[in-house]
Amino acid sequence: MSGNQGMESLIPIINRMQDAFTQLGVHMAIDLPQIAVVGGQSAGKSSVLENFVGKDFLPRGSGIVTRRPLILQLINGPTEYGEFLHCKGQKFMDFNSIMKEIEDETDRVTGSNKGISNLPINLRVYSPHVLNITLIDLPGLTKLAVGDQPTDIGEQIKDMIMTYICRETCLILAVTPANTDLATSDALMLAKSADPDGLRTIGVLTKLDLMDEGTDARDVLENKLLPLRRGYVGVVNRSQKDIEGRKDIKAAVAAERKFFLSHPAYRHMADRCGTTYLQKQLNAQLTNHIRETLPGLRDKLQRQLLSLEKEVEQYKYFRPDDPSIKTKAMLQMIQQLQQDFERAIEGSGSAAVNTLELSGGAKINRLFHERFPYEIVRMEFDEKELRREIAFAIRNIHGVRIGLFTPDRAFDMVSKAQIAKLKEPSLKLVDLVTAEMLSMCKDATGKMNRYPRLREETERIITTYIREKEQSCKDQIMMLIDCELAYMNTNHEDFIGFANAQSSTQNAEKTGRKLGNQVIRKGYMAIHNLGIMKGGSKDYWFVLTSESLSWFKDEEEKDKKYMLPLDGLKLRDIESSFMSRRHMFAIYNPEGRNVFKDFKTLDLSCESQDDVDSWKASFLRAGVYPEKSSSESQNGEGEERSSDAGLGSVDPQLERQVETIRNLVDSYMKIVTKTCRDLVPKIIMYLMINDSKNFINSELLANLYATGDTSSMMEESADEAVKREEMLRMYHACKEALKIIGDVSTATISTPTPRPVGGSDWLGGTSTSSYSQPQTSPGNLRKTGPPPVTRGPPPAPSSRPAPSVPGRPGGSAPPPPGRPGGGLPPPLIPSRR
């Protein structure tokens, strides 16, 4: 496939980059721009496109020949053939058969009577001589409908063209025949509307050899008439006679070159005209585009290289059979485990802190100070049942006799029964802390995945130790509660004594909780049982104080929805609905009264169980206590009613004795509860948490060596070996890709973007006074030393040779005026020898 040598020179560069990126697994983001040809019918668009590719494959003829968009994808490959999207799997090895298939497919959709369609024909041409680039051959602009064409044919073709040339990655070749008036060029007008800045538009003048004798397009090609930012390129395509005579593209390019060198109006600019120069211009755009994508790719690769550096450092000199490396790796991992476990318990300001949920020491802290007090109160307080137990105890102690004094044995019996109930929440706390410790252990050993046997053995040793400590914690807590049961210290400084108990007012629990109306907690919760929600829920901002619960529209607390007094209210858990995953609880009045408007309960929910537990602990501080468990309340319900009926108003003296014992039990239980709330977390901290930390820091390594199988423990997993090899491959491929990008940067030359033409409108007029030509005549450039990119803007082309003027930096002499009248040049113009 003969033709575009400039494009072929870019192929090895792109292939090297493609190979490096493929090996690296990085997506190659060098999407080369599309090239679309726009112009009127029979302007020579298809010929321009063919000359760029260097092969005959497009239909030719008079009138409208291209009646469907042709999207031609050039793909670099080892063999040369064509493939159509509508003929998948069929390879066209001959370009004449490709041309025929284009004609047949066009007729199949549009008919044979000049009809058009915006349905594109997709052709892929594979060749070792092309870059991966997309060329678009578009139907020619027309005004009048012929044959089967619709009446609005002109507008349809314009809309079709605009869909392609408005893309930022599309270079526009605005093709205009030189034997027509350039000021009426629809191609230039369309290009202007799609590319107002003129950065993507190159003007192409065809049919220069068909101009009337005595006329030429010199002013246009010198960019003086209707100037473009990237200027114009003149080409001479093959005539229909040449095509029918099988004149190949090489001979046509040679004939074109001869035409420009021999024509008196164009020979001074022959090196800036013709198909070869147009190819150079387009190839320069491709090179620029490639270079513009390189900085982004380089940054991406450098970031990837930096991220790999630290991990690869330990792999560079790694030998799996080296025992010293295995020993060092074990010591490093155990050290890391010790640090991670310590940070998990004591807290850390590192970047790895969990931002989604409580974990480690923070979760244990919440268990100590929110969950445990809540569980204690939930087990302890049930006023009616407690009074009933006291009354039965007093009467059973007195027996058949009438008791004149309040028996202290009733106090002992009832108090011991209440103290024994503290075992369950205390042991439950140990279970919850153990579960969190095991979770921390699993997270900390997660970094040992590289050595699965080591991870399993480490996890087993730590888990066994934590389980041992769990049992010793439970034994110690049981002993603490047994000690409380063994001796009732009624001489405690905080105990009110019999005298004060008899004079105390009823309902001591309420006197103990009055805090003043201080704010206890704020936060969002959802209300579920409002009628207007129809089973849904809505979030509100809640403010809990010691006396009331208020909710607002949002955290600004401006739009208050309701304020609910807390006197006499209780709290209970409720099951979540099948539509919701939120965790729910309800506030209610034990006497069955409405809590909120016409609702007997206020159903609330939070996103997580942790939030629910925290709110429950806050309600506890406000005096809203949880209900007794349903099994306990059901067991004594019927008996309670009969006993209340038998105890209520029969014996006022018994009432006073019950109240006295109740006050004594309440006072003593506050002492015991305070002691348990203080000592149980301390026991757990001392016997389990601190001991586990010390064990990991001082004895874990010895236990691992005691197994006697350290070499097998330090065997890498198969996945880790693959990961190491992959990481080293990625590292070296990344370095190679960066080297190739550096080579591309030095092997290609960036062409600066032309300056805007005079005036804001690049098709705004024909005045040339404010425009300066970006390059001097090619003949003069070859005779001056400095390259064009190192000079300031040179003057416009002169009508006589003046070698010293273009070479002068800054151009001290004023530029000579343009040629008046468009006459012939003097005979002293340098010509090609």
Side-chain angles (χ1 to χ4, degrees):
M1 186 173 185
S2 61
N4 196 336
Q5 298 299 319
M7 183 164 67
E8 290 190 31
S9 67
L10 288 175
I11 292 171
I13 295 174
I14 296 296
N15 286 345
R16 285 184 65 199
M17 294 175 68
Q18 182 69 67
D19 292 342
F21 292 145
T22 301
Q23 185 182 5
L24 190 59
V26 177
H27 172 62
M28 182 177 174
I30 302 181
D31 298 321
L32 294 179
Q34 299 175 339
I35 299 174
V37 287
V38 181
Q41 288 182 14
S42 300
K45 302 182 300 302
S46 298
S47 297
V48 169
L49 213 53
E50 275 187 345
N51 289 346
F52 178 73
V53 176
K55 198 73 175 177
D56 292 323
F57 62 94
L58 293 175
R60 301 299 183 82
S62 59
I64 183 166
V65 177
T66 305
R67 293 181 283 134
R68 289 175 60 184
L70 174 70
I71 299 176
L72 172 62
Q73 291 177 275
L74 302 181
I75 299 173
N76 185 264
T79 57
E80 191 169 273
Y81 63 92
E83 231 179 29
F84 288 93
L85 189 63
H86 62 271
C87 300
K88 286 185 178 177
Q90 183 179 354
K91 294 183 178 180
F92 294 80
M93 310 304 293
D94 179 19
F95 279 81
N96 289 327
S97 61
I98 290 178
M99 184 186 303
K100 186 175 186 310
E101 180 62 29
I102 292 174
E103 293 174 347
D104 294 344
E105 177 64 14
T106 300
D107 290 343
R108 188 182 65 80
V109 174
T110 63
S112 57
N113 194 16
K114 306 297 183 183
I116 69 160
S117 170
N118 60 1
L119 187 66
I121 298 173
N122 287 271
L123 169 62
R124 290 181 177 179
V125 173
Y126 297 82
S127 171
H129 308 291
V130 298
L131 279 177
N132 295 333
I133 194 169
T134 301
L135 307 173
I136 304 171
D137 190 17
L138 294 167
L141 294 162
T142 186
K143 297 280 195 280
L144 299 174
V146 296
D148 293 334
Q149 295 173 356
T151 54
D152 61 342
I153 180 71
E155 292 301 318
Q156 284 192 24
I157 293 178
K158 282 183 182 178
D159 293 342
M160 185 193 309
I161 292 172
M162 291 300 287
T163 59
Y164 290 96
I165 66 174
C166 284
R167 297 169 187 164
E168 288 299 320
T169 56
C170 183
L171 292 175
I172 305 169
L173 297 185
V175 180
T176 306
N179 56 359
T180 62
D181 188 357
L182 193 67
T184 62
S185 170
D186 289 330
L188 289 176
M189 293 306 297
L190 279 179
K192 176 188 173 185
S193 59
D195 178 30
D197 295 328
L199 290 171
R200 301 184 283 117
T201 303
I202 298 176
V204 179
L205 280 185
T206 60
K207 304 187 179 180
L208 289 166
D209 55 331
L210 301 182
M211 295 183 71
D212 291 339
E213 190 174 351
T215 62
D216 59 61
R218 175 174 178 164
D219 285 346
V220 175
L221 294 178
E222 289 182 346
N223 216 16
K224 294 179 180 178
L225 181 69
L226 296 175
L228 293 178
R229 192 164 183 173
R230 294 194 180 275
Y232 293 85
V233 178
V235 296
V236 176
N237 295 324
R238 291 172 296 171
S239 66
Q240 191 65 31
K241 181 181 177 182
D242 292 337
I243 296 170
E244 291 171 358
R246 300 292 182 181
K247 185 176 183 179
D248 67 6
I249 290 180
K250 270 188 179 180
V253 169
E256 179 188 52
R257 177 71 176 165
K258 183 178 179 181
F259 169 81
F260 285 115
L261 286 174
S262 62
H263 198 288
Y266 307 131
R267 63 187 181 198
H268 72 287
M269 62 175 82
D271 285 350
R272 288 184 288 118
C273 293
T275 299
T276 305
Y277 181 72
L278 179 60
Q279 287 180 349
K280 288 180 182 177
Q281 289 284 86
L282 294 177
N283 290 333
Q285 298 307 310
L286 298 182
T287 306
N288 281 354
H289 186 82
I290 293 169
R291 288 176 61 90
E292 285 167 7
T293 60
L294 294 185
L297 284 171
R298 184 188 291 111
D299 291 345
K300 182 178 179 180
L301 290 173
Q302 284 175 339
R303 285 195 300 270
Q304 190 168 355
L305 187 67
L306 287 174
S307 66
L308 290 172
E309 279 281 2
K310 288 185 179 179
E311 295 186 54
V312 167
E313 189 62 35
Q314 58 180 319
Y315 295 142
K316 282 183 180 177
Y317 311 105
F318 181 79
R319 296 197 306 275
D321 56 344
D322 189 342
S324 63
I325 290 181
K326 290 185 176 182
T327 304
K328 181 180 178 181
M330 177 185 277
L331 293 175
Q332 287 176 340
M333 288 192 175
I334 297 303
Q335 268 186 334
Q336 185 66 44
L337 173 70
Q338 293 166 354
Q339 294 171 5
D340 290 346
F341 200 80
E342 179 85 17
R343 278 198 294 263
I345 292 173
E346 302 297 337
S348 166
S350 68
V353 67
N354 191 341
T355 58
L356 302 176
E357 61 179 357
L358 289 180
S359 61
K363 189 167 185 178
I364 292 174
N365 179 278
R366 188 188 64 77
L367 293 174
F368 283 166
H369 301 296
E370 292 183 5
R371 185 70 178 269
F372 184 47
Y374 175 79
E375 293 292 339
I376 288 178
V377 173
R378 189 178 182 190
M379 297 297 298
E380 180 184 357
F381 286 97
D382 192 327
E383 186 67 26
K384 288 184 180 179
E385 186 169 343
L386 183 60
R387 288 179 176 274
R388 187 170 64 84
E389 290 175 2
I390 293 171
F392 278 127
I394 291 173
R395 294 185 68 174
N396 287 331
I397 289 170
H398 285 313
V400 72
R401 293 174 286 105
I402 301 298
L404 299 177
F405 304 102
T406 304
D408 55 353
R409 284 179 59 198
F411 162 74
D412 285 354
M413 292 170 61
V414 174
S415 295
K416 286 180 179 180
Q418 294 295 312
I419 291 171
K421 292 180 182 179
L422 292 173
K423 291 181 180 179
E424 184 179 341
S426 300
L427 297 179
K428 186 176 181 180
L429 177 64
V430 176
D431 291 337
L432 292 172
V433 173
T434 301
E436 186 58 30
M437 292 281 288
L438 295 176
S439 176
M440 282 191 290
C441 169
K442 190 170 184 179
D443 291 342
T445 56
K447 295 182 179 178
M448 296 181 174
N449 282 335
R450 182 175 171 186
Y451 303 103
R453 290 283 305 280
L454 176 64
R455 175 182 177 174
E456 290 172 10
E457 193 63 25
T458 303
E459 202 169 326
R460 182 190 66 78
I461 292 172
I462 297 176
T463 300
T464 302
Y465 189 81
I466 291 175
R467 289 296 183 189
E468 291 173 1
K469 293 286 113 182
E470 175 190 18
Q471 192 54 48
S472 62
C473 262
K474 288 183 176 179
D475 293 342
Q476 191 70 28
I477 289 171
M478 292 294 287
M479 187 175 72
L480 170 67
I481 295 175
D482 288 341
C483 290
E484 294 286 355
L485 291 170
Y487 177 63
M488 310 291 289
N489 182 16
T490 54
N491 285 328
H492 194 281
E493 59 185 3
D494 294 334
F495 188 60
I496 61 173
F498 271 90
N500 291 330
Q502 290 175 350
S503 62
S504 293
T505 58
Q506 294 184 357
N507 204 1
E509 87 177 7
K510 287 187 179 180
T511 63
R513 72 174 174 85
K514 290 297 180 183
L515 304 171
N517 195 26
Q518 68 182 45
V519 175
I520 296 175
R521 184 183 177 90
K522 295 181 178 183
Y524 276 105
M525 285 192 290
I527 300 179
H528 280 257
N529 59 333
L530 300 183
I532 58 172
M533 302 298 173
K534 297 182 180 180
S537 63
K538 187 172 183 180
D539 288 337
Y540 290 100
W541 178 261
F542 283 81
V543 177
L544 175 65
T545 69
S546 54
E547 295 179 357
S548 65
L549 176 68
S550 305
W551 55 91
F552 301 82
K553 180 181 178 182
D554 50 42
E555 61 265 29
E556 293 182 2
E557 298 183 17
K558 292 180 180 179
D559 184 7
K560 181 185 279 192
K561 299 297 183 182
Y562 200 79
M563 186 178 77
L564 178 66
L566 298 178
D567 286 337
L569 299 184
K570 293 272 188 179
L571 184 149
R572 69 182 173 207
D573 292 322
I574 57 177
E575 291 186 5
S576 301
S577 65
F578 73 96
M579 296 286 288
S580 172
R581 295 183 179 180
R582 296 173 69 95
H583 302 269
M584 300 179 64
F585 64 97
I587 296 172
Y588 71 101
N589 191 312
E591 298 177 1
R593 298 174 186 167
N594 290 343
V595 173
F596 165 63
K597 295 185 179 178
D598 295 331
F599 302 102
K600 294 193 179 293
T601 63
L602 181 63
D603 297 344
L604 304 172
S605 74
C606 300
E607 288 283 352
S608 67
Q609 186 61 46
D610 287 347
D611 290 340
V612 170
D613 292 342
S614 187
W615 271 104
K616 286 179 180 177
S618 300
F619 275 112
L620 196 62
R621 289 184 59 200
V624 179
Y625 295 99
E627 67 175 351
K628 259 311 234 192
S629 61
S630 57
S631 60
E632 293 180 8
S633 59
Q634 286 174 2
N635 289 340
E637 188 174 354
E639 193 177 347
E640 183 180 340
R641 289 175 185 166
S642 60
S643 63
D644 284 347
L647 298 172
S649 57
V650 175
D651 190 351
Q653 182 180 353
L654 181 60
E655 287 278 349
R656 288 194 296 272
Q657 291 177 350
V658 168
E659 184 62 31
T660 300
I661 296 295
R662 170 69 186 87
N663 289 339
L664 289 171
V665 170
D666 185 56
S667 174
Y668 195 76
M669 284 305 298
K670 283 181 179 177
I671 296 170
V672 175
T673 301
K674 183 178 179 181
T675 303
C676 283
R677 287 176 59 176
D678 183 51
L679 288 181
V680 169
K682 289 180 177 178
I683 290 170
I684 295 173
M685 195 74 195
Y686 174 70
L687 289 179
M688 184 187 294
I689 299 175
N690 287 348
D691 262 16
S692 297
K693 281 198 303 182
N694 293 335
F695 172 78
I696 290 173
N697 288 335
S698 58
E699 299 180 36
L700 174 61
L701 195 59
N703 277 266
L704 285 171
Y705 276 108
T707 61
D709 195 18
T710 54
S711 60
S712 64
M713 279 193 294
M714 294 306 294
E715 288 180 1
E716 271 190 321
S717 67
D719 291 342
E720 188 61 31
V722 171
K723 178 185 174 184
R724 184 181 71 252
E725 295 300 325
E726 180 69 14
M727 194 168 293
L728 286 169
R729 186 191 65 76
M730 290 276 286
Y731 176 75
H732 293 302
C734 201
K735 291 183 72 174
E736 178 64 19
L738 282 171
K739 180 177 180 296
I740 290 172
I741 287 179
D743 292 345
V744 172
S745 298
T746 55
T748 57
I749 300 173
S750 177
T751 306
T753 304
R755 293 177 301 169
V757 295
S760 58
D761 185 357
W762 53 265
L763 286 179
T766 60
S767 173
T768 61
S769 59
S770 61
Y771 175 75
S772 60
Q773 184 73 12
Q775 286 186 337
T776 58
S777 141
N780 287 341
L781 275 180
R782 288 194 299 274
K783 293 186 179 182
T784 56
V789 291
T790 61
R791 291 200 307 267
S798 172
S799 61
R800 58 186 179 275
S804 60
V805 172
R808 201 179 292 144
S812 59
R819 178 186 310 280
L824 292 175
L828 296 178
I829 292 289
S831 61
R832 180 181 296 274
R833 290 184 174 86

